[in-house]
Amino acid sequence: LVLALLALVTGIAFYSLEKTQAAYDRFLDVNERLVDGANELRFELRNQTAHYRAILLYPDLQKKYWDDLQNDHRQFAAIIEKMRRLVLSSEGLGILNEIAAMQAKNEQGQEKVVSLAQRGKYAEALALSTREVYPLTQGLIGKVERFREREVKLEFARCSGLDCNQ
């Protein structure tokens, strides 16, 4: 009887340990996915910049690049939403909300510049781009990079002294 109880307790202990390890791994995985999400945001910002510039440089292909830019905006929004579901702190959520608000302003600025370019007002479009859109894009890149660095630090702090590369 004692041996059966000992086997039962040992089985429960191993089961509990396995569940705890799985929860811990899932917890660590969140930071890794947020870092990956920040990398995806940077990639989408790079794409937006390329397509936005292409609209100004290649007037005969404006429709194609406009569609690509709109797709980039949708991808950016989808990544932000995915990251909002993952983020664990109100501070992280606040940063993501700031990034989303900056992106909305960036999109509006891009739309204004493209509208001017479509009407043939290239000098005004370039001036507006330099004055408004470029600083917004640079600020957005900086904010995304700071979020990424924050998540890397959180991941490192949780993993210090542990083997998190399993």
Side-chain angles (χ1 to χ4, degrees), residues 79-155:
I79 295 166
I80 286 287
E81 286 309 310
K82 180 175 67 171
M83 291 173 71
R84 281 180 176 154
R85 289 190 298 272
L86 292 173
V87 75
L88 300 172
S89 69
S90 59
E91 180 185 357
L93 185 60
I95 295 170
L96 286 176
N97 289 337
E98 288 176 25
I99 290 170
M102 290 175 75
Q103 173 63 8
K105 289 179 185 176
N106 193 39
E107 288 178 22
Q108 290 173 352
Q110 289 173 349
E111 289 172 8
K112 287 178 190 176
V113 170
V114 169
S115 175
L116 287 170
Q118 288 173 338
R119 291 183 294 190
K121 299 179 179 182
Y122 290 102
E124 291 176 38
L126 288 173
L128 182 62
S129 177
T130 303
R131 190 176 63 247
E132 289 184 22
V133 178
Y134 180 75
L136 279 171
T137 302
Q138 293 305 308
L140 191 52
I141 291 168
K143 183 65 91 170
V144 169
E145 184 58 31
R146 284 189 295 280
F147 180 83
R148 182 186 174 285
E149 289 171 2
R150 175 186 178 276
E151 292 303 320
V152 167
K153 285 179 186 174
L154 288 173
E155 178 73 9

Side-chain angles (χ1 to χ4, degrees), residues 14-147:
F14 278 117
Y15 176 78
S16 296
L17 185 60
E18 186 178 302
K19 287 295 182 185
T20 302
Q21 183 65 40
Y24 184 72
D25 289 345
R26 189 172 54 250
F27 180 71
L28 287 177
D29 189 44
V30 166
N31 288 97
E32 290 175 19
R33 292 190 304 183
L34 287 170
V35 170
D36 289 343
N39 289 334
E40 290 176 29
L41 289 177
R42 291 185 329 177
F43 180 75
E44 285 304 324
L45 284 170
R46 183 188 62 94
N47 281 348
Q48 284 181 29
T49 301
H51 293 133
Y52 167 73
R53 288 178 179 170
I55 291 170
L56 298 176
L57 290 173
Y58 305 107
D60 53 325
L61 297 172
Q62 280 183 350
K63 172 71 172 123
K64 177 202 177 311
Y65 289 120
W66 175 252
D67 292 342
D68 290 343
L69 182 61
Q70 295 302 307
N71 186 47
D72 295 337
H73 293 165
R74 285 189 294 276
Q75 290 285 20
F76 192 95
I79 295 166
I80 286 287
E81 286 309 310
K82 180 175 67 171
M83 291 173 71
R84 281 180 176 154
R85 289 190 298 272
L86 292 173
V87 75
L88 300 172
S89 69
S90 59
E91 180 185 357
L93 185 60
I95 295 170
L96 286 176
N97 289 337
E98 288 176 25
I99 290 170
M102 290 175 75
Q103 173 63 8
K105 289 179 185 176
N106 193 39
E107 288 178 22
Q108 290 173 352
Q110 289 173 349
E111 289 172 8
K112 287 178 190 176
V113 170
V114 169
S115 175
L116 287 170
Q118 288 173 338
R119 291 183 294 190
K121 299 179 179 182
Y122 290 102
E124 291 176 38
L126 288 173
L128 182 62
S129 177
T130 303
R131 190 176 63 247
E132 289 184 22
V133 178
Y134 180 75
L136 279 171
T137 302
Q138 293 305 308
L140 191 52
I141 291 168
K143 183 65 91 170
V144 169
E145 184 58 31
R146 284 189 295 280
F147 180 83

Side-chain angles (χ1 to χ4, degrees), residues 156-163:
F156 180 75
R158 288 188 182 110
C159 287
S160 60
L162 302 173
D163 183 15

